[in-house]
Structures are given as structure tokens and as C-alpha cells.
Amino acid sequence: MAAELTAHELIAKHRPTLDQALEAIRTRAYWSPHPEHPKAYGEAGSLDAAAGKAAFDALLGARLDLGQPGTDGWVAGETSPYGIELGVEYPHADIDTLLPAMRSGQRAWRDAGAEMRAVVCVEILKRISDRTHEFAHAVMHTSGQAFMMAFQAGGPHAQDRGLEAVAYAYVEQVRTPDTAEWTKPQGKRDPLALNKQFTPVPRGIAMVIGCNTFPTWNGYPGLFASLATGNAVLVKPHPRAVLPLALTVQVARQVLTEAGFDANLVALAAERPGEGIAKTLATRPEIRIIDYTGSTAFGDWLEANARQAQVYTEKAGVNTVIVDSTDNYKGMLSNLAFSLSLYSGQMCTTPQNLLVPRDGIRTDEGPKTFDEVVADLARAVDGLLGDDARANALLGAIVNPDVKARLEAAAGLGEVALASREIANPEFPDAVVRTPVIVKLDGAKPDDEAAYMSECFGPVSFAVAMDSAADAAELLRRTVREKGAMTVGAYTTDDEVEAAIQEVCLEEAAQLSLNLAGGVYVNQTAAFSDFHGSGGNPAANSALCDGAFVANRFRVVEVRREA
């Protein structure tokens, strides 16, 4: 079949977007081609709110046939955290048939070159963007995110992260020229002369192991980094969050076909209940790259056992905020309350440990004791979530029973400063919605250490009394070094304290946010500008996104000829 999308058309259409992305990663300034506001959609082929909802509804109970080779059955079983049975059926693959089919298209994809691969990826992202309303419902009903968060984080922000990976991939591939003429003088003899050709070649088949909470935001960087560097990509979604990534695979296969490439360069590996195919796939010799977001235990297993693959992991950490002093007490409390509440704390970047001097802090409202700070923060959370409609819009739903169990058990770990309460969702009566719990602990008591030195994923935070800011900085150091951290926050008006905390973060490779009191929160990062994770502490062995995240997904092969 002749290509419907020619190289010339794709480059003319998408090279300007790629160039803007390249400029954005160079300057780190704000830029996004993907609108955040729902009302921005509905023109130029994109789905508006009603059409997106209708498209999602049409998927329920349907079979999503991707046309993949080796389909030996159909699997279903997703249930929305909001109580809806999705009932979507996905192809189950005979891996021994699918993997060879995926490899067959890699030569043409490799030979297409870095620019062509990049603009094909941009076209895939553009078509996903046009369906953002549909994808938002898919993300909402697999992750439990509230709709606006699913729309923004699962839509434009995820698409930005994918495009960011494409930009970095392009930069690394064109760092070496395609050809070079090499001449070495030999004195009185004729010079040595060679013509050299340099080709970026893919490692093989990449696998993306999706997560339940952020299937697109965490899935797109690895998917597009591998695809843009010439690799075929097998997408293995989390069993409870298949739909958003299955739709992504569907779009990618359509675009690849229209651009004249093999659709099997991107494929889906959905699994039967309890099948657990990730371990089997991870050690297959064909799998040469793995991207994983999830538990530390399985991330460690992948790093130790998938020896044939380059493994990129984002695991768990214990995120810390040091509260030493502030010149905007109300702003600090408001910012922290939002950070603790957003998506019921089910983010790898949500603060867990709040380290506060036991003698209290200095503020623009006068000195505040430890107990006052914690009580005021509890009131700020209560105030933020006091209206049930607003609370539902911020909290979303608890994603799985394990999070609910941890939340309920947390109350027994110390003195409860803020009790969690149940909130009804009138639109989705079966949704499990809970407000955060804040538990007071003492940093000087060994018995409390087991709680605050372990990740408690979900809406659970510990207010830990510390002897001093210096002690807090040392506990931060030990926490990051031993447990890892995706984010660190600090509030201080003291230059020496700030310098000490910054030095800890520099030495332990942890991303730091200082004195946030407005509309930017410690658990949010912006593509093209902020680094998500660092790759330098146990929480993650890579960062989203930098050159290291893409450069080892391909190698450069040289062919030399005498001139």
C-alpha cells in the first residue's frame, strides 16, 4: 500500500513543532503545543467534550481489535475506580508470533533516519492530542484521577513529555554527522583518505511496562524515546489501566501504516488475569530496552534480572519537605494542603514527611510552635476539602484496595493530627474517596522511624518533630540516600539553612523546590523545563527527560571506505 503521509508532507507539517521543542529543551523556558483547557478542543479535527465522551462511551463493552499478528484470544477485566465496568476486550498475543513480526519492520524504520522518525512520532502525538477528551475519560476510569487532572496530566502534560523525549532523541542522534571525509597527512607520502558513514541503529525491541496511576504520563517518555531512536515498542500495560495505552497503540499503528512503515513497530501485550507476563517478557532475548514505573521490589528485580536489556526504572521514594521558617505562612499552608490532597496523594512526587523543628518556626505571623504548624496545616487541608464537590474534583478516587488499607492503618502509627474522612461522589456512588491523614511522629524516637522511613503511598503524611533544621537536613540526606526521593521541598528564610538543604540535594541528586507558596506545587513538573527524578538516587535510575534517557537506546555504527 502506498504511503498516505509522505516524508515531505510530514516534515513540512511537523518540523516547526520539532524545532520549537528543540529550542524549549535548550532554554528550559515554558512552551507547550498541547492546550490545557478543555474548551480549546473541537476545531480542526479535534474532539470537543461531548464528542470525546461519546467516543469513550462507545468503547465500553467493545472489542478493540488492533490487527496484531499472533492474536490467540481476547482479554478484559478493567473496572474503574469509580465503579464502572469498562468491559473493553483487548487482543492477547502469542509472543512467539508477535515479537518476530515486530522485528521485521525495524530495518525500514532504521533507514528512515532521525528526522523522519521524529516527525512520525509528532504526528502520532498530534492525533492523540486531537482525542484528548476521549483519552481523559480513559485515564480517569483506569487511574481514579478526577476528570480535570486526567484531562491535563493524562492529556497535554503526557503529550508534552512524549514530545520532549522525541526532541532529546533527535538531538542525540544528529550529534554525529551522517558522513565525514577523513584525511590524514603522511608527509611526503600520499595522505590517508577515508569516507565514513555513521548510522544510528536501534537496540531491538523496547518494552514499556505501564503503571496504574499515570498510564500515559509515565508511559509516553519511554515509548516515544525508543520509537524515535528506531526501536520497535511493545506496550505492556498495567492490568487495571490498559485502555489509555491500548488507544495509544491503536493511533501509533494507524500513523505508521499511513506513513509507509510496518504497523507492528508498536504493539500491545495485554495479559489474562493473574498471568503476570512482565517477568517472562523482561528476560526474553528480543527485549533490549525496558521502561518501568512502579514498585521498588519489581524495579529492583528488573535491574537485577533483565540483563540483556537497558532498564530504565522509576520506583518508590520517600519525599520530604523541611519547614524551617517562612515569610508567607498562609501561602505555605495553602500550597502544602493542595500538594497533600491532589489525587489523594497517589503521586510519586507527593510529600510524605514534613520535618518541623520541635521548638517551632518563625513566620510573618510571628512564631508558631510545632503543634500550631501541624494544626494549622490540618485546618488548611480541611478548608480546601470542606466542600464535597471541590474535594471530589481534587481527590479523585482511591486507585486500589492496597492504598485504602495503608490509609486506614496509618492512623495507628502515631498521634492523628488530621483524620481521614469519607466523601460521597454523587455521580459515581461506588467510588472510594478519602481525604488525607496527617500523623504526628517524633524524629528522636527510634520506634517512629520505621513509619517515616518507609514509603506509604497514598494520602498519608507524617509531621515529624525534629531537634533543629540541621537535624532535619541530615535526616533528609539519610532518607534520600537510603530510600530515594522524587521530590524535596523546603521552606526557610535563613540563607544558611537554605544552603545546607541545597547542598544535601546536590550531593544526593534530589530535585528541590524552595518556598513554593503560589500556584506551583512540589508534586508537579513541567515538560521541557523541569526534570522528573534525577537518576541519581534510589527512587529512579533515570530522569524524565535528559540526554542519558535516550542516548543508550541506540548505538552508532560506522562504515569506512577508502576514498
Side-chain angles (χ1 to χ4, degrees):
M1 185 177 108
E4 298 174 29
L5 299 170
T6 68
H8 176 76
E9 289 170 340
L10 284 168
I11 291 169
K13 181 179 180 182
H14 294 306
R15 183 71 211 207
T17 300
L18 178 60
D19 287 340
Q20 286 179 288
L22 295 172
E23 179 67 6
I25 63 173
R26 185 188 71 82
T27 64
R28 319 305 298 182
Y30 171 77
W31 174 74
S32 171
H34 304 117
E36 284 185 312
H37 200 286
K39 291 184 179 179
Y41 297 82
E43 297 179 0
S46 64
L47 301 181
D48 64 12
K53 178 63 163 61
F56 169 75
D57 288 342
L59 294 167
L60 302 180
R63 175 172 288 181
L64 196 67
D65 190 346
L66 300 174
Q68 296 183 174
T71 297
D72 60 9
W74 300 89
V75 296
E78 287 165 294
T79 298
S80 166
Y82 291 95
I84 298 173
E85 292 284 346
L86 301 188
V88 184
E89 290 189 329
Y90 307 101
H92 183 274
D94 174 359
I95 295 300
D96 290 328
T97 301
L98 181 59
L99 291 180
M102 295 183 71
R103 295 178 67 174
S104 65
Q106 280 196 308
R107 179 176 178 177
W109 186 237
R110 177 201 72 198
D111 292 346
E115 183 179 47
M116 184 60 180
R117 288 193 294 270
V119 294
V120 169
C121 287
V122 178
E123 174 69 19
I124 295 169
L125 286 163
K126 175 63 171 66
R127 295 201 191 178
I128 292 171
S129 176
D130 287 343
R131 294 168 62 179
T132 291
H133 274 281
E134 177 187 0
F135 272 72
H137 289 284
V139 170
M140 173 183 176
H141 285 291
T142 51
S143 70
Q145 295 175 30
F147 178 77
M148 270 308 297
M149 184 174 184
F151 183 93
Q152 293 185 339
H157 297 171
Q159 296 151 21
D160 284 350
R161 282 295 183 192
L163 180 56
E164 177 187 46
V166 173
Y168 273 100
Y170 179 80
V171 167
E172 294 300 324
Q173 290 174 96
V174 301
R175 187 181 301 281
T176 303
D178 293 337
T179 60
E181 294 180 1
W182 182 88
T183 304
K184 179 179 180 181
Q186 292 286 294
K188 294 181 180 180
R189 291 177 293 169
D190 290 339
L192 299 176
L194 294 174
N195 291 329
K196 301 184 179 186
Q197 175 185 347
F198 304 97
T199 304
V201 299
R203 283 192 171 272
I205 298 176
M207 179 169 65
V208 174
I209 302 176
C211 70
N212 195 175
T213 48
F214 288 90
T216 56
W217 198 99
N218 277 109
Y220 283 5
L223 192 166
F224 285 100
S226 289
L227 192 61
T229 49
N231 303 278
V233 182
L234 181 63
V235 178
K236 206 298 290 182
H238 191 284
R240 287 192 294 262
V242 182
L243 184 56
L245 290 178
L247 293 174
T248 301
V249 170
Q250 181 186 56
V251 174
R253 291 175 65 85
Q254 290 169 347
V255 172
L256 286 163
T257 299
E258 292 176 26
F261 298 101
D262 192 332
N264 296 319
L265 286 166
V266 179
L268 185 77
E271 58 189 307
R272 299 186 180 101
E275 188 175 7
I277 62 173
K279 279 191 174 183
T280 303
L281 286 169
T283 54
R284 294 273 306 214
E286 303 96 327
I287 300 298
R288 304 303 303 278
I289 301 167
I290 297 173
D291 286 275
Y292 167 76
T293 301
S295 72
T296 297
F298 191 58
D300 289 345
W301 186 91
L302 287 170
E303 291 170 1
N305 292 278
R307 305 302 295 272
Q308 84 293 348
Q310 294 293 316
V311 179
Y312 300 87
T313 58
E314 181 188 313
K315 298 176 287 189
V318 176
N319 301 319
T320 298
V321 175
I322 294 177
V323 180
D324 168 69
S325 54
T326 179
D327 57 9
N328 187 350
Y329 188 59
K330 283 188 172 62
M332 179 191 78
L333 294 173
S334 175
N335 192 280
L336 283 174
F338 188 93
S339 297
L340 300 183
S341 302
L342 185 62
Y343 184 31
S344 300
Q346 297 170 123
M347 303 172 70
C348 63
T349 50
T350 300
Q352 174 179 301
N353 292 345
L354 310 174
L355 310 185
V356 185
R358 67 178 74 253
D359 292 335
I361 69 171
R362 301 182 310 279
T363 81
D364 55 318
E365 297 182 10
K368 301 287 184 179
T369 67
F370 171 84
D371 288 337
E372 287 174 328
V373 172
V374 179
D376 288 343
L377 178 58
R379 277 190 289 271
V381 173
D382 263 343
L384 178 67
L385 304 176
D387 177 76
D388 283 2
R390 184 179 186 186
N392 276 305
L394 284 174
L395 295 170
I398 298 297
V399 69
N400 63 52
D402 290 341
V403 175
K404 182 171 178 279
R406 282 193 294 270
L407 171 63
E408 292 171 346
L413 297 175
E415 180 186 345
V416 175
L418 175 66
S420 177
R421 67 184 180 90
E422 184 176 350
I423 293 179
N425 187 317
E427 186 178 1
F428 301 104
D430 293 330
V432 177
V433 184
R434 298 288 189 275
T435 62
V437 63
I438 300 176
V439 177
K440 291 198 284 189
L441 299 174
D442 194 324
K445 292 183 177 179
D447 290 346
D448 287 355
E449 183 173 314
Y452 64 72
M453 283 295 284
S454 300
E455 188 200 25
C456 193
F457 184 76
V460 177
S461 292
F462 301 114
V464 185
M466 303 299 300
D467 288 338
S468 66
D471 287 334
E474 283 310 305
L475 176 56
L476 168 65
R477 181 190 301 278
R478 185 160 64 91
T479 302
V480 177
R481 182 174 294 175
E482 295 178 11
K483 302 296 182 178
M486 295 299 294
T487 56
V488 174
Y491 292 89
T492 182
T493 58
D494 187 307
D495 291 343
E496 291 186 5
V497 171
E498 178 179 321
I501 295 169
Q502 179 171 306
E503 185 60 24
V504 168
C505 290
L506 291 173
E507 291 179 354
E508 304 302 329
Q511 311 293 11
L512 172 64
S513 297
L514 287 165
N515 298 317
L516 298 182
V520 176
Y521 304 94
V522 67
N523 41 350
Q524 296 174 319
T525 57
F528 309 109
S529 187
D530 294 324
F531 291 110
H532 175 76
S534 71
N537 70 64
N541 72 1
S542 57
L544 304 180
C545 184
D546 60 8
F549 185 69
V550 299
N552 218 15
R553 295 173 190 262
F554 69 95
R555 308 311 299 160
V556 175
V557 173
E558 176 184 358
V559 177
R560 302 187 296 179
R561 298 177 177 87
E562 287 202 358

